[in-house]
Amino acid sequence: MEKTEEEEESEEVVLRRLEESVNAHPDDPSLHFDLGVRLWENGGEESNNKEKAAEHFVISAKLSPQNGAAFRYLGQYYSGVSLDTQRGLKCYQRAVSLNPDDLQSGEALCDLLDRDGKESLEVAVCREASEKSPRAFWAFRRLGYLQAHQKKWPEAVQSLQHAIRGYPACPELWQALGLAYQRLGRFTAALKSFGRAIELDNTNVFAMIESGNIFLMLGSFKEGVERFKQALEISPESVSARYGLAFGLLGLAKAWINLGAFRWGASLLEEASEVAKASTHLAENMSCIWKLHGDIQLAYAKCFPWMEEGQGLEFDVETFNASILSWKKTCILAAISAKCSYQRALHLAPWEANIYTDIAITADLISSLTMSDGNDFNDWQLSEKMALGALLLEGDNYEFWVALGCLSDHNALKQHALIRGLQLDVSLAVGWAYLGKLYREEGENQLARKAFDCARSIDPSLSLPWAGMSADFNARDSSPDEAFESCLRAVQISPLAEFQIGLAKLALFSGHLSSSQVFGAIQQAVQHAPQYPESHNLYGLVCEARFDYQSAAAAYRLARCAICSFPDSVPKSHTRDISLNLARSLCKAGNAIDALQECEDLKKEGMLDVEGLQVYAFSLWKLDKRDLALSVLRNLAASVSAMEQTSVAAPVSFICRMLYFMSGLDSAISSILKMPKELFQNSGISFIVSAIHTLDTCNRLEPVVSSSRRFLTSYEEITEMHFLIALGKLVKHGTEFCLGFQSGVAHLRKALHMCPNSSLIRNLLGFLLLSSKEWNDTHIATRCCNVDCTDYQNKGGLKSASEILGAGAVACYAVGNSSPKFSFPSCTYQCLNGHGAIQQLQKYCNLLLFI
Amino acid sequence: MKLAGLKSVENSHDESVWAATWVPATETRPALLMTGSLDETVKLWGSDELVLERTNTGHSLGVASVAAHPSGLIGASASLDSFVRVFDVDTNATIATLESRPSEVWQLRFNPEGSTLAAAGGGSASITLWDTATWGPVATLPIPRPEGPKPSDKSGSKKFVLSVAWSPDGRRLACGSMDGTISVFDVARAKFLHHLEGHFMPVRSLVYSPIEPRLLFSASDDAHVHMYDSEKKSLVGAMSGHASWVLSLDVSPDGQALATGSSDRTVRLWDLNMRAAVQTMSNHTDQVWGVAFRPPGGTGVRSGRLASVSDDKSISLYDYS
């Protein structure tokens, strides 16, 4: 700013006038002070002006020793111009003691003390000022910083909080407060303070990194990653931000992997690996970065999922093998890279015991992936040896003992290591769990059970004990349902392929195959264990249970490819089962030609069993090869007679049905009559025989039917049989043009009396009432069926409740409208019609739309 | 005194090269350079052109240290799993495998007579001596623990031993630890003598002057190189200049110069009379794990050679004059 001449002149004038008045009143301190200030502020950089000003300040201070401002100027003069630090200090001290709120003197005083390294004096000055005046915010700020520097966190929090009242927009204060809170373990408060600091200064890298670290510590990886990315935008070379970012991405990936989102996890890990790699270039001698890179690569090697490239049926052995190999190669390469990174970390810091364990785990993973049986003379014990290395350095670390227990090949050593770990910490759930696994492998089921129970009661969020519990459900006398539940829990806690395959197997026993949890689990298992035929086969079974026969067939084909890759390790019977599964699902999918091909292949190898014969006969029939099909049926009948009573039901009913379909009613009946009576002692067959019986006007099967009906036991079976009988009555008591509705309705009314809540019977009754020509009972039809929200799934009956309800309403309307002279027709029986029925139907429509 | 780059081999190993030493010349062949790497191999290179003579395998983890017998016939290599392989340099026939407890072999050195192999012993804070005739352990020299025998406390890991060096007369053995102390032993009596103090970070490399048996040089992560009078336990001098950890060092055969390799990716040559760096080579693109002067001897070899190996997988050879 340039001063105009006038101003300069007027300043001259003012100065002169002041000098005159000072001369006139040499005892007035304020005049001296004013003159001093004038000279000091306007005198420019010339030191003689400053000296003159200082003289006046001295006089003013002498005359009025309570004027802090004079001392402040003097302090500035001594410390800045004449470089007499001691005097400067004294003047500032005086100024501060006169006016503790004096920011400039206080800061200058502290700066001087700081320059001489007198930290304790500095603290004393600040403390004194802060005690004297609550408005001495500079003192609180300075004190807060000093206390933070001296790591007196609780005191620092107090001082900083007070200082923030004076300087609420100072980002450094918020940052220091955040740091103090963080060190005190008050993470939420720390996050808030750092957040405020970032708001005030959006280039505050320190606050970003520290708050990112807190987020990571609290497990909020997403927020942490965001903070680190923000920090990297400002300072792309920051190693700690990169480290944090890579760590956060690893945490995020692990969280996703734990939920089963392997591909997503893998892509996050790729990103994390790049970030970590880049930071090793910035700081290559930091062991922890290499360790982090190793962790990332190890996680990648474990989670990278196998992807089915050629979707569909055309998946031959070579492409399957190639895809398995490339998947494995990716995993092995990642594991080797992890091993190298861990070795670098170890080479830089060989005293870090945990890196030995990391190398041990990675070596174990590599040997399990490469299936090497340890042909190298010391390869077999590398993981064991490295695990021991960690223990040599830190023998009291129970986690290392557990690691040794898992990695060792010798059961005795395993047991010893696990027990040592438990001795060090008896509430080590992992230790108990692995001990249980070890005992189970050795056949000590009692001990295994105890160990698993221990582990589960200590930490119910551990998956292994749950899996262990489900694995020995036979020994525990628990139902397959319970086993399924505990295995499901294990799978939900950690999505391991072994658990998932086990879950699918248990689902097979307990009839949960079609549940979505099993479907999801087995899909993930296929991604992680594609080399096992078992996982594909189970996947196929699950698909079949969900009526997706195309996918099921594809899965069985993959299972066969997997068998071809390891022809020695899989018994012949498994191959047969899988081929049979394939034939069956092809058949169900409507692909009879391929199914026939499969059956013939099986036949060539002489592995066509009863089930295979059924599929064979069925596909032959589908392809219109009646004679062949009949001969197969004959073979089937021959083998049935050699079977045990319990498993005979399915083939016998199959034979009956096929006979009916192929050679008609009469020949089926005559064949049935020829068969031994014992074969019909089963509820399933009873239905088939009854159905054939209803169509037979001559009642030739009466004795067979009545004897077989004794085996109907459950409520559902009985209602279904009533349904069937009612239908039979319709047919048998009807004429050529009209079914016997009356007798059918009569039977159903009796049946409904026995089973009042069977919607199957109710619906049929309603349907029959509506169907009978007389139309007298339409109002009853609408009343006897009830619509509920589960009804849409009910595929059992002929018509659904809603259809009957609607038709009933229409019928009521039509009946009531028979005399057109009434403008407002209504049902003569005043029953549920019009509004009620329509409302119910609307409700039901809405429901269906949502579903 | 100066260094001049002669030859550099990029990608000499598949992974970082961690260790280098010269195998002295024998009657039948000149000196060879022996390197050990994270890729689990040991390679032997013909001098001056750095022609790969042989690749030795057999380790299942990275090779952290290599040592050559003074006769030039025997080599030894140690990997991170503390597995030591002793082999015939010319045929690669395995002479012995020395099994140690894991984490217990960190650096290997033959004594000047070639009768003993010393292995710096990691967490047990000791040096193990192996007899080169029987390949059995002959002695263990432990660093005394400061406060009484406490078997399970963590002072053991604080004293983690990283480096070892023989005095040229073979009477003294020095070892450097993670906490920065250097311990000196009397070999004949198998007795601990004293500590040399001054470093405060891990000492990764030690070497005695070939012409002055009591002068010991040390390289530490604190970025300094120290010169000790190992008998009188006094710090003679310190040389600074590296920007990061000093990972390795070696003294020239004439005892006039010192070469160091560092995490700051440079190799420096120090004039011991001036106690100052006279040259900085920055041809490596990653940290330099090993430097080694070629010992004199062999037919028609007069000129000095220095080799350096680095994390960037390369080997560099310099002319030293």
Side-chain angles (χ1 to χ4, degrees):
Chain A
M1 227 191 283
E2 280 179 36
K3 290 174 188 166
T4 59
E5 277 185 20
E6 274 176 37
E7 276 181 359
E8 214 160 294
E9 214 166 314
S10 68
E11 266 175 28
E12 290 277 310
V13 174
V14 171
L15 205 62
R16 214 171 298 136
R17 205 175 298 149
L18 263 174
E19 272 174 356
E20 280 164 12
S21 45
V22 165
N23 288 337
H25 306 278
D27 296 338
D28 189 337
S30 64
L31 283 175
H32 279 284
F33 179 72
D34 287 347
L35 182 57
V37 172
R38 276 283 153 184
L39 284 168
W40 183 265
E41 301 290 343
N42 298 334
E45 292 303 305
E46 290 168 48
S47 58
N48 63 343
N49 269 345
K50 304 249 169 187
E51 266 168 38
K52 265 193 221 163
E55 279 167 25
H56 287 288
F57 285 134
V58 170
I59 297 167
S60 163
K62 265 186 193 155
L63 292 170
S64 143
Q66 299 306 312
N67 185 0
F71 285 103
R72 182 176 71 220
Y73 280 112
L74 278 174
Q76 281 178 19
Y77 171 73
Y78 286 127
S79 60
V81 180
S82 76
L83 301 177
D84 184 349
T85 317
Q86 283 310 314
R87 270 199 194 162
L89 271 176
K90 276 189 187 142
C91 291
Y92 279 136
Q93 246 162 357
R94 187 64 193 264
V96 171
S97 64
L98 286 172
N99 176 17
D101 299 351
D102 185 349
L103 161 76
Q104 278 177 316
S105 312
E107 288 288 331
L109 174 59
C110 289
D111 283 344
L112 282 181
L113 289 171
D114 197 52
R115 206 193 302 155
D116 296 346
K118 293 170 180 162
E119 207 175 273
S120 50
L121 265 179
E122 212 180 332
V123 172
V125 166
C126 293
R127 183 158 287 147
E128 200 186 325
S130 65
E131 278 162 7
K132 267 189 189 164
S133 159
R135 297 191 51 77
F137 296 115
W138 67 269
F140 284 104
R141 178 166 67 181
R142 196 89 188 191
L143 191 59
Y145 290 158
L146 284 167
Q147 283 162 338
H149 180 67
Q150 292 167 349
K151 300 194 165 52
K152 293 177 181 164
W153 306 112
E155 292 92 337
V157 165
Q158 281 187 341
S159 310
L160 291 168
Q161 270 175 339
H162 198 104
I164 280 172
R165 272 180 233 156
Y167 311 104
C170 171
E172 287 82 13
L173 271 176
W174 285 105
Q175 176 184 317
L177 183 64
L179 183 68
Y181 275 135
Q182 183 191 9
R183 293 298 147 87
L184 286 172
R186 293 165 65 182
F187 295 123
T188 340
L191 278 180
K192 270 188 199 156
S193 306
F194 282 132
R196 186 88 187 103
I198 297 168
E199 258 173 50
L200 292 167
D201 171 15
N202 62 3
T203 59
N204 191 334
V205 176
F206 179 83
M208 288 173 195
I209 292 176
E210 287 304 313
S211 52
N213 283 336
I214 297 174
F215 276 125
L216 295 192
M217 205 185 294
L218 296 175
S220 319
F221 297 110
K222 204 161 174 234
E223 289 85 347
V225 164
E226 269 165 28
R227 282 289 156 90
F228 287 121
K229 281 190 175 156
Q230 213 179 343
L232 278 176
E233 269 169 30
I234 297 157
S235 146
E237 299 283 275
S238 162
V239 176
S240 46
R242 272 175 196 271
Y243 182 84
L245 178 59
F247 192 88
L249 287 170
L250 174 64
L252 205 55
K254 277 189 175 166
W256 282 116
I257 290 164
N258 227 359
L259 290 175
F262 301 123
R263 275 170 222 198
W264 193 351
S267 69
L268 282 173
L269 285 174
E270 279 162 21
E271 194 186 338
S273 169
E274 266 170 39
V275 174
K277 195 85 195 172
S279 45
T280 60
H281 290 306
L282 292 173
E284 59 268 288
N285 61 1
M286 282 179 133
S287 149
C288 59
I289 299 180
W290 285 112
K291 164 150 166 66
L292 178 63
H293 186 252
D295 287 345
I296 293 168
Q297 289 291 335
L298 182 62
Y300 190 71
K302 279 183 182 164
C303 92
F304 183 74
W306 175 74
M307 279 172 246
E308 207 177 321
E309 281 118 5
Q311 283 280 350
L313 299 173
E314 273 62 59
F315 213 113
D316 58 38
V317 179
E318 272 111 77
T319 44
F320 177 79
N321 275 350
S323 88
I324 293 274
L325 279 181
S326 86
W327 165 75
K328 261 200 171 166
K329 205 173 149 196
T330 312
C331 293
I332 291 172
L333 281 180
I336 288 175
S337 153
K339 192 173 147 191
C340 276
S341 294
Y342 284 136
Q343 285 185 69
R344 283 172 200 273
L346 184 69
H347 194 217
L348 288 164
W351 47 86
E352 292 289 346
N354 54 342
I355 306 177
Y356 289 88
T357 312
D358 289 329
I359 294 182
I361 291 169
T362 319
D364 186 59
L365 179 68
I366 291 175
S367 66
S368 76
L369 280 172
T370 52
M371 305 261 183
S372 72
D373 300 324
N375 37 14
D376 216 339
F377 55 100
N378 67 342
D379 197 21
W380 63 277
Q381 55 175 5
L382 178 63
S383 54
E384 206 174 272
K385 191 167 179 182
M386 293 310 276
L388 282 169
L391 278 173
L392 267 180
L393 290 174
E394 276 179 42
D396 52 355
N397 187 325
Y398 46 81
E399 287 181 354
F400 293 162
W401 283 108
V402 173
L404 177 64
C406 297
L407 294 169
S408 169
D409 286 335
H410 309 288
N411 281 345
L413 182 58
K414 264 177 186 280
Q415 186 182 354
H416 170 73
L418 289 170
I419 288 175
R420 276 292 295 169
L422 288 171
Q423 277 174 349
L424 289 164
D425 179 5
V426 78
S427 60
L428 186 67
V430 197
W432 284 112
Y434 280 114
L435 197 59
K437 188 181 165 198
L438 175 67
Y439 284 141
R440 231 194 96 71
E441 279 164 7
E442 291 200 326
E444 301 269 9
N445 282 332
Q446 282 295 324
L447 286 171
R449 208 160 108 184
K450 271 187 197 160
F452 280 138
D453 286 346
C454 248
R456 216 179 54 251
S457 59
I458 294 165
D459 181 4
S461 69
L462 205 65
S463 58
L464 186 57
W466 290 104
M469 227 174 92
S470 66
D472 55 7
F473 72 96
N474 286 331
R476 279 173 187 256
D477 319 314
S478 57
S479 70
D481 270 345
E482 275 173 52
F484 175 78
E485 285 298 324
S486 27
C487 194
L488 184 61
R489 189 163 308 203
V491 166
Q492 278 166 348
I493 294 167
S494 62
L496 286 178
E498 288 84 352
F499 297 168
Q500 287 161 341
I501 291 175
L503 180 70
K505 273 190 185 163
L506 287 171
L508 192 61
F509 290 123
S510 57
H512 288 97
L513 262 190
S514 58
S515 89
S516 296
Q517 283 95 327
V518 178
F519 183 56
I522 195 70
Q523 235 174 1
Q524 290 173 5
V526 168
Q527 288 181 353
H528 270 171
Q531 73 275 38
Y532 297 143
E534 207 173 9
S535 48
H536 294 288
N537 187 32
L538 284 167
Y539 181 56
L541 286 174
V542 171
C543 282
E544 219 180 308
R546 299 170 70 83
F547 309 107
D548 183 358
Y549 302 117
Q550 293 285 349
S551 312
Y556 295 134
R557 288 225 158 102
L558 287 180
R560 231 165 32 177
C561 291
I563 284 187
C564 294
S565 326
F566 309 97
D568 305 328
S569 57
V570 182
K572 264 278 197 254
S573 66
H574 287 200
T575 320
R576 184 198 60 204
D577 289 347
I578 289 169
S579 297
L580 202 57
N581 286 341
L582 177 59
R584 192 182 58 239
S585 61
L586 282 171
C587 211
K588 283 184 183 167
N591 189 349
I593 302 174
D594 284 357
L596 186 64
Q597 187 58 46
E598 290 299 327
C599 290
E600 273 167 4
D601 288 349
L602 276 175
K603 193 179 164 193
K604 263 180 225 155
E605 294 186 41
M607 293 196 294
L608 213 52
D609 61 358
V610 173
E611 200 191 347
L613 284 171
Q614 291 178 46
V615 177
Y616 192 27
F618 185 76
S619 34
L620 281 170
W621 173 64
K622 276 275 176 191
L623 293 169
D624 278 337
K625 296 182 178 167
R626 272 196 53 186
D627 300 339
L628 279 173
L630 276 175
S631 77
V632 172
L633 269 191
R634 242 167 265 129
N635 288 343
L636 181 59
S639 52
V640 162
S641 53
M643 278 168 74
E644 276 185 41
Q645 184 65 30
T646 47
S647 53
V648 86
V652 170
S653 43
F654 176 78
I655 293 173
C656 297
R657 280 158 71 181
M658 286 309 288
L659 280 174
Y660 170 72
F661 281 126
M662 281 193 292
S663 38
L665 192 61
D666 290 333
S667 101
I669 289 174
S670 57
S671 310
I672 289 172
L673 288 173
K674 270 183 238 161
M675 284 186 206
K677 289 277 180 299
E678 307 87 70
L679 291 181
F680 300 101
Q681 296 172 349
N682 180 285
S683 58
I685 302 172
S686 172
F687 277 102
I688 304 287
V689 176
S690 300
I692 294 175
H693 171 63
T694 51
L695 295 172
D696 175 29
T697 42
C698 315
N699 288 339
R700 275 169 289 178
L701 287 176
E702 189 67 49
V704 181
V705 170
S706 57
S707 73
S708 74
R709 276 189 191 153
R710 276 184 283 134
F711 296 93
L712 297 176
T713 46
S714 81
Y715 178 73
E716 279 80 21
E717 282 173 347
I718 290 169
T719 53
E720 277 167 28
M721 187 51 84
H722 279 304
F723 183 87
L724 192 59
I725 293 170
L727 287 180
K729 295 236 160 122
L730 288 185
V731 177
K732 285 199 178 152
H733 299 274
T735 61
E736 200 174 339
F737 304 106
C738 179
L739 295 166
F741 288 112
Q742 282 309 325
S743 56
V745 168
H747 182 82
L748 283 175
R749 281 189 168 145
K750 270 189 273 171
L752 195 59
H753 191 68
M754 282 187 278
C755 328
N757 55 356
S758 159
S759 60
L760 189 70
I761 290 180
R762 278 174 180 273
N763 288 350
L764 183 66
L765 182 56
F767 182 51
L768 292 186
L769 286 172
L770 283 176
S771 310
S772 62
K773 288 276 163 62
E774 288 83 41
W775 278 19
N776 292 330
D777 302 324
T778 47
H779 64 285
I780 306 176
T782 55
R783 275 196 294 185
C784 68
C785 50
N786 68 32
V787 182
D788 58 22
C789 54
T790 56
D791 192 60
Y792 69 96
Q793 296 169 321
N794 191 355
K795 294 192 172 75
L798 289 172
K799 292 282 176 190
S800 75
S802 53
E803 280 172 296
I804 292 162
L805 191 62
V810 171
C812 277
Y813 178 80
V815 169
N817 213 5
S818 52
S819 35
K821 60 187 170 188
F822 294 113
S823 51
F824 294 103
S826 64
C827 181
T828 39
Y829 296 95
Q830 297 292 328
C831 66
L832 178 72
N833 68 342
H835 292 314
I838 289 165
Q839 268 173 6
Q840 268 208 358
L841 284 169
Q842 275 175 341
K843 212 165 83 187
Y844 184 65
C845 273
N846 279 337
L847 207 65
L848 278 182
L849 281 179
F850 281 120
I851 296 162
Chain B
M1 117 187 5
K2 77 187 234 300
L3 290 178
L6 277 182
K7 171 92 185 164
S8 190
V9 186
E10 303 296 325
N11 295 318
S12 59
H13 282 268
D14 297 338
E15 282 287 348
S16 305
V17 194
W18 278 351
T21 195
W22 287 91
V23 183
T26 61
E27 285 168 5
T28 52
R29 56 150 176 77
L32 296 172
L33 179 67
M34 178 155 68
T35 56
S37 155
L38 171 58
D39 68 7
E40 301 168 12
T41 61
V42 172
K43 290 190 180 182
L44 288 153
W45 309 82
S47 194
D48 272 21
E49 286 308 311
L50 293 181
V51 188
L52 180 62
E53 301 265 328
R54 187 176 299 106
T55 303
N56 298 348
T57 56
H59 286 286
S60 46
L61 282 181
V63 178
S65 177
V66 288
H69 192 267
S71 69
L73 296 172
I74 301 171
S77 56
S79 51
L80 291 182
D81 55 355
S82 295
F83 172 76
V84 181
R85 178 169 178 267
V86 182
F87 54 93
D88 184 308
V89 170
D90 293 312
T91 63
N92 189 28
T94 302
I95 295 170
T97 57
L98 313 180
E99 284 268 9
S100 292
R101 296 196 292 172
S103 88
E104 289 296 274
V105 176
W106 209 247
Q107 208 173 40
L108 298 172
R109 288 286 177 270
F110 284 98
N111 70 342
E113 295 90 61
S115 60
T116 312
L117 174 68
S124 67
S126 61
I127 307 171
T128 311
L129 300 182
W130 300 82
D131 187 291
T132 55
T134 62
W135 297 110
V138 283
T140 303
L141 309 178
I143 300 174
R145 288 166 200 273
E147 68 272 72
K150 267 196 229 160
S152 70
D153 69 356
K154 294 206 174 175
S155 66
S157 61
K158 286 228 179 65
K159 276 285 180 203
F160 199 98
V161 176
L162 288 166
S163 51
V164 64
W166 290 91
S167 67
D169 54 13
R171 290 170 51 226
R172 293 284 181 266
L173 199 57
C175 70
S177 309
M178 175 209 163
D179 62 353
T181 57
I182 298 163
S183 312
V184 182
F185 294 89
D186 180 334
V187 179
R189 292 186 292 151
K191 189 169 176 291
F192 168 77
L193 295 178
H194 48 254
H195 289 302
L196 303 174
E197 305 199 339
H199 287 298
F200 55 89
M201 281 173 82
V203 176
R204 289 184 193 263
S205 187
L206 285 174
V207 66
Y208 273 94
S209 164
I211 53 171
E212 179 49 68
R214 51 200 281 178
L215 196 57
L216 176 70
F217 300 93
S218 64
S220 162
D221 285 0
D222 61 16
H224 300 300
V225 173
H226 284 183
M227 242 192 304
Y228 291 96
D229 175 353
S230 66
E231 295 299 304
K232 292 287 174 232
K233 53 185 291 192
S234 61
L235 181 62
V236 179
M239 295 182 285
S240 310
H242 277 298
S244 186
W245 302 358
V246 187
L247 298 172
S248 70
L249 82 178
D250 199 14
V251 186
S252 65
D254 57 9
Q256 299 304 310
L258 184 74
T260 53
S262 158
S263 278
D264 65 9
R265 307 174 183 188
T266 62
V267 173
R268 279 179 187 242
L269 186 70
W270 308 79
D271 185 327
L272 288 178
N273 294 320
M274 292 158 62
R275 291 190 192 173
V278 288
Q279 207 171 354
T280 304
M281 312 296 287
S282 10
N283 50 323
H284 284 295
T285 58
D286 213 331
Q287 51 190 349
V288 181
W289 274 109
V291 287
F293 280 104
R294 186 172 68 183
T299 48
V301 182
R302 286 282 165 267
S303 45
R305 291 284 180 270
L306 174 73
S308 65
V309 296
S310 154
D311 253 356
D312 65 7
K313 307 176 193 170
S314 72
I315 303 174
S316 288
L317 188 68
Y318 316 89
D319 176 68
Y320 163 71
S321 55

